[in-house]
Amino acid sequence: MNNPLLAIAVILLTSASALAGPTDELYKLGPDSQEQPGVPRGKLSEPIVLASKVYPNSTRNYWVYTPAQYDKTKPACLMIFQDGHAFLGLKGEYRIPYVFDNLIHRREMPVTIAVFINPGHGPDQPEATDKDWGDGTTNRRVEYNALDDKYSKLIVDELLPELKKSYNISDNPEHRGIGGASSGAICAWTVAWHRPDQFRKVISVIGSYTNIMGGHVWPDMIRQGEAKPIRVFIQDGRNDNRGTRKGGAYDAKWDWFAQNVKMVEALTEKKYDMTYVFGVGSHSGKHGGSIMPEMLRWIWRDHSKGQDPMDPAIKTPLGAETAGK
């Protein structure tokens, strides 16, 4: 772990787990996740429909957040969140527009456009919502949990060209992040793995590195592959889904927390620029939402240390040379 403050948080949360039990109510949103007086508000677009040739006969909504500091004459950084509906809500668990407003205003992260994209669905299927994320009613399972590069093609070849028609977005992969929760988290990792030429920052909340579609093999794939220039923050809870299948039998390939631990171990062995926080929560966004500002500060720590990631002279992420040590 590269951040001593986060290391302390892990120790405290580990000690608390025996007392707290499987509760998510320990985690509360702080001021960085709420509207603050005097902080300029960014703009959130109306939903935009993206059709796909990668996933034929499917569409999905996406929304674009533009920070108040955005200047169309200067390329902006970019972050894309899967399950977009869950991250854009101003009364939800993540409240990304408020977090971006506050951190960008204080220059704790660069001027960054956020895109919130939903999973695709066919013409006879509903759009994903906070009440139904679409596991059984949309393409979410096959789009997000597959290990191939198909979804990355939707992001890189279909979504990015549409965004660039309206926004000035940096082409430097160090200026681009991608994130999500649960299946959206493994999806974000998969995109960066296949396309580090496009995305090199990943936020993973309660990631589903399990056997939904073979995702339990990711730790082995990381060990067997060449290390890639990806910076990743992993969050999970010790009371996440723990691998109990029908009939009460335990299956490690379906243990969310154990698989997140294996991801951390593999990334550490390969000396990735990685940090993590394991709390006491369940398969919930409460913990991830409460530390989202800190996750973003860490992801963009080059900027917070006074090195603007938009500076073309910066070729290597600050701190990458000590990753895994």
Side-chain angles (χ1 to χ4, degrees):
M1 181 178 295
N2 302 319
N3 189 322
L5 292 178
L6 292 175
I8 293 171
V10 172
I11 294 170
L12 292 175
L13 288 170
T14 301
S15 301
S17 62
L19 299 174
T23 176
D24 299 303
E25 299 309 314
L26 291 172
Y27 303 110
K28 309 295 182 182
L29 295 177
D32 291 335
S33 302
Q34 301 171 36
E35 184 177 11
Q36 295 299 324
V39 174
R41 293 283 302 276
K43 295 181 179 179
L44 187 66
S45 74
E46 294 295 319
I48 305 166
V49 177
L50 178 69
S52 175
K53 293 181 180 179
V54 176
Y55 297 96
N57 202 32
S58 74
T59 60
R60 72 275 300 131
N61 284 349
Y62 71 92
W63 298 256
V64 180
Y65 159 91
T66 310
Q69 297 83 354
Y70 171 67
D71 180 347
K72 64 181 179 180
T73 67
K74 300 177 181 179
C77 292
L78 173 70
M79 289 201 74
I80 297 177
F81 293 90
Q82 280 36 250
D83 295 308
H85 61 86
F87 286 87
L88 62 84
L90 299 182
K91 295 183 179 180
E93 294 175 326
Y94 300 103
R95 308 186 188 187
I96 292 297
Y98 283 158
V99 178
F100 273 43
D101 286 345
N102 292 324
L103 269 58
I104 293 172
H105 175 64
R106 294 197 303 268
R107 299 182 179 179
E108 293 181 287
M109 63 179 286
V111 174
T112 305
I113 289 172
V115 176
F116 308 94
I117 185 168
N118 278 356
H121 59 87
D124 58 342
Q125 295 174 316
E127 186 75 25
T129 66
D130 288 351
K131 292 183 178 179
D132 182 358
W133 285 35
D135 284 316
T137 57
T138 71
N139 294 352
R140 185 175 188 265
R141 179 179 181 274
V142 296
E143 289 185 8
Y144 287 4
N145 294 285
L147 306 189
D148 59 24
D149 65 349
K150 190 172 182 179
Y151 185 79
S152 68
K153 291 179 180 178
L154 179 143
I155 295 295
V156 174
D157 300 335
E158 297 183 331
L159 176 62
L160 283 179
E162 289 301 311
L163 294 173
K164 287 193 168 188
K165 290 178 182 178
S166 302
Y167 303 95
N168 187 356
I169 295 171
S170 173
D171 290 322
N172 188 333
E174 301 289 358
H175 304 165
R176 294 181 183 175
I178 188 164
S182 191
S183 293
I186 186 175
C187 176
W189 167 258
T190 302
V191 170
W193 173 270
H194 286 296
R195 298 304 302 268
D197 62 314
Q198 298 289 329
F199 294 91
R200 294 188 180 176
K201 291 176 170 60
V202 176
I203 284 181
S204 172
V205 177
I206 54 173
S208 299
Y209 303 100
T210 57
N211 195 21
I212 297 174
M213 290 184 68
H216 64 289
V217 305
W218 261 125
D220 291 335
M221 291 174 63
I222 290 168
R223 288 188 174 94
Q224 294 164 9
E226 293 281 339
K228 304 193 178 187
I230 300 171
R231 174 180 293 178
V232 53
F233 193 123
I234 291 180
Q235 175 276 332
D236 197 25
R238 297 175 184 276
N239 293 290
D240 200 345
N241 303 324
R242 294 310 307 262
T244 302
R245 308 302 294 158
K246 293 180 180 179
Y250 174 79
D251 185 342
K253 297 189 297 293
W254 288 91
D255 187 324
W256 265 249
F257 179 66
Q259 287 301 124
N260 274 271
V261 171
K262 290 179 180 179
M263 285 290 291
V264 166
E265 292 172 344
L267 291 164
T268 300
E269 287 179 27
K270 297 294 286 189
K271 293 182 168 51
Y272 272 79
D273 187 11
M274 181 275 303
T275 198
Y276 67 98
V277 169
F278 293 150
V280 296
S282 65
H283 198 68
S284 158
K286 291 281 190 180
H287 182 203
S290 72
I291 65 170
M292 182 58 69
E294 184 62 27
M295 297 173 84
L296 288 165
R297 288 189 188 94
W298 186 84
I299 284 287
W300 295 107
R301 67 185 187 274
D302 317 88
H303 182 77
S304 65
K305 289 185 177 181
Q307 292 192 21
D308 189 343
M310 299 306 297
D311 185 345
I314 297 176
K315 304 297 183 183
T316 304
L318 187 66
E321 68 279 0
T322 62
K325 295 183 180 179

